[in-house]
Amino acid sequence: MILERHYDEETLIALLESPDPAATARDRHLASCKSCSETLDSFRTMSEVLADAAVWDARELESEPVPETIATLRAFADTMAHQDATAEVLLQQLVAGPRETWRTTLAANPHYRTPGMVRKLIAATDRAIDTMPPDALELTSLATDIADHLDASAHGVEVVARLRGAAWRERGYVLFYVGEHMRALVAVDRAEEEFRRCTISEYEQARLQIIRSLTLRATEKLPDALVTAHSAAEMFALFGDTARMESAQSAEATAQFSQGNYRRALEIWVTIAERAGGDAERLSRILPNIATCYREIGDLAKALDYYSAAAAVWQELGNRPESARVRCNVARVLALSGRHDEALARLFEAKQEFVAAGLQGAAILSNLDIAELLLLRNRFADAYQLCHETIEALRAAGMPYTSRALTAVAYMQEAVAAAKATPVLARHVRNYIERLPTEPNLLFLPLPE
């Protein structure tokens, strides 16, 4: 029997004091021995604490509260409460009209530009993203605009930096949610830049890293996404925030899934679902992922069960866009099972939900999913009409990559008109358009003859 040998304390301290900062990272034993690495971490923490001059300050601390400090804190809290109460009223006035009028209203009312308004806009974004994502996107645009123009000398450098970071973090998430992944990364970078200007805890940084991980995964930077998510999950675990720890773990699972590690991703999501119990909000975000893992490993029956459960939960929560996304996945599983009529019905329903929610990108992808099934049935006339609708929707959406998407759909429409289009072509065009938000310069290449 071979006994496992560990580093003694003197060896670990020597590593900690090494002039080479990368010495511990290169050490093979530390990389494989959890016990020694944890002991080293505890020594590192102790060393950092002992390096603080306050530890060696022998002066007796005042046990009585300092009136000046209490007065300052109370005044600050009162100011925030007043700003927030005023902003609540102003926010209702700002969003009373159509979304297209909000910026004009803001420009005409300079007194709306307060820290309280930024906080209220961020809170409103959290509510809007579940029901009307375009509204949420505009709310974050207003929040960042106001935050970027706040006077730091009037409101405090720390307060303004934190508000700007929070506003840009929120914008990054909404941009990710609607599929604008490259712009989301820019927003996350901006948030991190602002947070570096103030005293911000590792906890707040970890919140930002969840969004960064999701966006890195969406832009195919999978190793970075995995490391970022895992680091955030560990930080939330230290702070005892189970909800955000699970969000970070879910981001880690998403990166694992994107690397083709379906069973590892499934293991993470099942563990989160088991902890969720009957919590509908938590289950709603995990069940679709579990279903997709089962779909990828070929267990279509379990995939369909989990997708159906997820759609029901989202419907119960009143989040119609997410329910529609899940129904699209249900349709794909039904199609794989040969139940094409049921799949078409689900896709048409989901498409209408996307249109109602203003998610034009999702509606366009649904059109191409529908076209694939129509071509499978040789319904060329219906597929041609759908191509025409898709072209009109692309023109109306006015996305940065519209011209390239139009080229692809026009090519498909010509093939449909000549009765030469196939389901494979429809899938090829769909996958191309789905990639455009993150690869706007990607050229469309027709399938080889």
Side-chain angles (χ1 to χ4, degrees):
M1 177 178 176
I2 298 175
L3 295 176
E4 182 182 11
R5 301 189 63 182
H6 299 288
Y7 285 158
D8 56 27
E9 292 184 356
E10 287 76 12
T11 302
L12 290 172
I13 291 172
L15 279 169
L16 189 63
E17 294 176 342
S18 170
D20 180 1
T24 57
R26 290 196 305 268
D27 191 283
R28 293 183 179 179
H29 179 71
L30 286 175
S32 60
C33 180
K34 183 178 180 183
S35 175
C36 287
S37 63
E38 287 180 350
T39 303
L40 181 66
D41 285 341
S42 69
F43 285 172
R44 182 180 287 111
T45 301
M46 291 170 60
S47 176
E48 290 172 353
V49 170
L50 292 173
D52 191 332
V55 173
W56 306 100
D57 192 338
R59 290 176 298 175
E60 201 170 313
L61 293 176
E62 292 286 343
S63 58
E64 294 296 321
V66 180
E68 292 80 3
T69 302
I70 294 175
T72 299
L73 292 173
R74 183 171 291 139
F76 181 74
D78 289 346
T79 299
M80 280 189 63
H82 176 71
Q83 287 176 348
D84 288 354
T86 304
E88 186 67 45
V89 176
L90 297 178
L91 178 63
Q92 298 307 315
Q93 297 172 6
L94 176 64
V95 301
R99 180 174 62 246
E100 294 74 17
T101 67
W102 296 351
R103 185 160 293 279
T104 303
T105 303
L106 176 62
N109 294 276
H111 59 284
Y112 285 10
R113 295 179 174 275
T114 67
M117 183 62 90
V118 176
R119 288 189 288 269
K120 291 301 177 181
L121 283 166
I122 291 173
T125 299
D126 291 339
R127 297 189 296 269
I129 197 168
D130 289 339
T131 54
M132 190 57 69
D135 284 2
L137 193 59
E138 182 63 13
L139 289 170
T140 62
S141 177
L142 298 178
T144 53
D145 182 10
I146 295 173
D148 284 349
H149 291 89
L150 289 175
D151 184 352
S153 63
H155 303 291
V157 173
E158 183 86 5
V159 170
V160 170
R162 281 178 177 271
L163 278 175
R164 288 174 182 167
W168 279 103
R169 179 174 59 200
E170 195 75 13
R171 182 155 178 79
Y173 178 70
V174 178
L175 284 166
F176 161 77
Y177 186 87
V178 301
E180 296 286 346
H181 301 137
M182 298 307 294
R183 293 175 65 200
L185 271 179
V186 172
V188 169
D189 286 341
R190 177 62 189 280
E192 190 162 38
E193 178 186 335
E194 293 298 338
F195 281 141
R196 279 199 296 265
R197 301 179 193 277
C198 60
T199 307
I200 183 168
S201 73
E202 293 171 315
Y203 176 87
E204 291 296 332
Q205 288 284 12
R207 287 185 62 191
L208 184 62
Q209 294 317 309
I210 294 179
I211 305 170
R212 183 181 293 283
S213 176
L214 291 170
T215 310
L216 287 170
R217 193 275 310 167
T219 53
E220 302 298 321
K221 298 175 182 176
L222 302 180
D224 291 341
L226 196 58
V227 170
T228 303
H230 186 74
S231 174
E234 288 184 333
M235 186 55 61
F236 289 128
L238 285 175
F239 279 91
D241 189 333
T242 302
R244 287 203 168 94
M245 179 190 72
E246 289 178 355
S247 293
Q249 289 174 336
S250 187
E252 180 183 352
T254 301
Q256 292 281 11
F257 180 92
S258 297
Q259 289 183 316
N261 302 325
Y262 305 127
R263 294 188 183 277
R264 174 55 184 150
L266 179 61
E267 179 185 338
I268 295 172
W269 278 318
V270 166
T271 300
I272 296 174
E274 288 172 350
R275 283 200 301 261
D279 188 329
E281 185 68 39
R282 290 162 71 189
L283 286 173
S284 65
R285 303 187 184 280
I286 301 303
L287 294 179
N289 300 326
I290 294 175
T292 303
C293 286
Y294 277 121
R295 186 189 71 195
E296 292 301 320
I297 62 180
D299 193 335
L300 300 184
K302 280 190 176 179
L304 196 56
D305 287 343
Y306 275 97
Y307 277 135
S308 299
V313 171
W314 278 120
Q315 197 71 26
E316 177 188 338
L317 292 171
N319 190 324
R320 295 169 62 184
E322 283 301 327
S323 180
R325 289 185 200 274
V326 175
R327 287 204 296 278
C328 283
N329 286 314
V330 170
R332 293 185 188 108
V333 174
L334 290 171
L336 288 172
S337 304
R339 297 157 64 179
H340 300 137
D341 289 338
E342 292 178 68
L344 275 172
R346 299 289 184 117
L347 287 171
F348 275 116
E349 290 174 5
K351 173 189 168 181
Q352 295 305 316
E353 292 284 5
F354 291 140
V355 171
L359 292 173
Q360 289 298 330
I364 288 165
L365 293 177
S366 294
N367 273 351
L368 295 168
D369 285 329
I370 294 168
E372 181 179 347
L373 291 178
L374 291 176
L375 291 172
L376 192 64
R377 297 292 189 83
N378 292 323
R379 292 169 57 179
F380 291 103
D382 292 335
Y384 184 87
Q385 178 59 33
L386 204 58
C387 286
H388 175 73
E389 291 178 13
T390 304
I391 288 172
E392 292 302 311
L394 281 167
R395 286 173 176 159
M399 294 174 285
Y401 46 83
T402 292
S403 61
R404 295 186 185 275
L406 284 171
T407 299
V409 178
Y411 175 85
M412 176 177 161
Q413 188 179 39
E414 288 181 11
V416 171
K420 294 182 179 179
T422 64
V424 175
L425 174 60
R427 174 60 48 179
H428 177 64
V429 171
R430 184 203 186 282
N431 290 343
Y432 170 74
I433 292 177
E434 188 174 33
R435 291 174 61 184
L436 280 176
T438 55
E439 302 174 71
N441 295 319
L442 183 67
L443 294 175
F444 176 71
L445 297 176
L447 288 171
E449 295 291 338

